[in-house]
Amino acid sequence: MKKFLSMALIAAMTLSLAACGSNANNEADSTGSDSASSDKTYVIATDTVFAPFEFSDENNEFVGIDVDILAAIAEDQGFKYELTPLGFDAAVASLESGQSDGVIAGMSITEERQQKYDFSDTYYDSYVAIAAAENSDSQGLEDLRGQTVAAKTGTQGAECAETLKEEYGFDIQYFDESSLMYQDVITGNTVACFEDQPVMAYGISQGNGLKIVAEEKENFSTPYGFAVLKGQNAELLEMFNAGLANIKENGTYDEIIAKYTSAE
């Protein structure tokens, strides 16, 4: 009987040790999986032409404030990414469909958007400018009464135009790209366009054929933020915020902004 009890006790201890070994292996596998996640390449969607935030330069290289800020943050935080220029609407659609992990595209942080996206800390403050052809007689919003203006779909400029539409009695023609919107104003199909002020100021400095006739700072002054789908990619958002704070502290951020706005 004693021999039987001893053998039973040994068997029980063996099973107990085996179980402990199994748990330890599971924890190691889990830790290894978490470490492997650091090798992920994030897909970041952006606009195609939204200078000075993203655009192709004379060497056909994709550059801009957003492009450089993302690169600096990724280097600071040590994560990999693939930047995909799609156009603003397409970039947002790719985020919502899960085809991209984040969007950086001069995206205004609004209450409506915060219902669907989680935003980073502000990386740029902007407001809306209204621009007409440089050879036009338009001097302000009063000169737009009863005419057709242009706006870029899904932007703060479009929201501003929609808000002022009834007061000034104008119609709105929508465009997917800023360059097409500008050309429409220059050719006289529309009398003016609504655009983010830094974008318009940069375009004018580069000779885009427009002039600013009015600005909406009070009600349409909004910050830009990096966006992820609500409740997803929290680790990417955390890295963006941490990296943004670091590049602001070490002067890299100021260098990037000066690089693209010194011509204004």
Side-chain angles (χ1 to χ4, degrees):
M1 175 63 75
K2 289 181 180 179
K3 184 176 181 180
F4 174 80
L5 291 174
S6 296
M7 292 178 66
L9 180 60
I10 292 171
M13 292 176 65
T14 301
L15 287 172
S16 177
L17 289 171
C20 290
S22 177
N23 288 337
N25 288 335
N26 286 339
E27 289 175 6
D29 290 343
S30 176
T31 303
S33 177
D34 289 343
S35 298
S37 67
S38 64
D39 293 331
K40 176 177 179 179
T41 298
Y42 294 98
V43 177
I44 310 299
T46 188
D47 207 340
T48 51
V49 182
F50 193 57
F53 292 90
E54 45 264 343
F55 62 101
S56 296
D57 65 11
E58 62 275 8
N59 298 318
N60 204 33
E61 294 181 357
F62 200 61
V63 298
I65 292 174
D66 286 348
V67 179
D68 287 8
I69 283 178
L70 179 60
I73 289 174
E75 182 178 359
D76 180 84
Q77 293 294 298
F79 66 84
K80 295 181 292 185
Y81 68 97
E82 176 187 332
L83 187 62
T84 308
L86 300 173
F88 187 82
D89 284 349
V92 172
S94 75
L95 180 62
E96 294 183 359
S97 66
Q99 294 178 320
S100 62
D101 299 299
V103 169
I104 185 166
M107 191 172 182
S108 301
I109 302 173
T110 65
E111 290 185 6
E112 181 180 358
R113 286 174 177 165
Q114 286 176 319
Q115 302 303 311
K116 296 193 293 183
Y117 317 117
D118 288 327
F119 282 94
S120 69
D121 296 333
T122 300
Y123 70 84
Y124 196 93
D125 288 305
S126 180
Y127 54 90
V128 174
I130 298 92
E134 61 183 355
N135 60 356
S136 77
D137 295 329
S138 296
Q139 299 296 323
L141 288 170
E142 284 294 335
D143 295 325
L144 310 184
R145 284 189 179 278
Q147 303 191 67
T148 302
V149 301
K152 189 175 176 182
T153 306
T155 64
Q156 184 76 349
E159 184 179 341
C160 178
E162 290 159 2
T163 300
L164 298 174
K165 176 181 178 180
E166 184 174 347
E167 179 180 355
Y168 291 95
F170 51 66
D171 294 321
I172 304 172
Q173 179 70 42
Y174 293 92
F175 296 85
D176 291 330
E177 294 184 12
S178 294
S179 57
L180 297 177
M181 178 173 69
Y182 300 164
Q183 190 59 38
D184 200 71
V185 174
I186 292 170
T187 57
N189 293 325
T190 48
V191 68
C193 61
F194 288 67
E195 179 69 282
D196 288 19
Q197 192 277 340
V199 176
M200 181 53 66
Y202 179 82
I204 290 173
S205 75
Q206 301 299 305
N208 68 359
L210 301 175
K211 64 179 180 180
I212 294 177
V213 298
E215 294 177 337
E216 287 292 317
K217 294 183 178 180
E218 185 175 348
N219 296 319
F220 293 94
S221 178
T222 59
Y224 288 170
F226 172 76
V228 298
L229 202 59
K230 200 163 190 67
Q232 298 185 21
N233 284 305
E235 74 290 343
L236 176 58
L237 199 61
E238 290 173 5
M239 288 190 292
F240 188 95
N241 284 335
L244 179 62
N246 288 343
I247 67 171
K248 283 185 174 181
E249 184 177 355
N250 64 29
T252 301
Y253 174 86
D254 290 335
E255 292 175 4
I256 292 171
I257 298 302
K259 176 181 176 182
Y260 293 101
T261 60
S262 59
E264 292 179 17

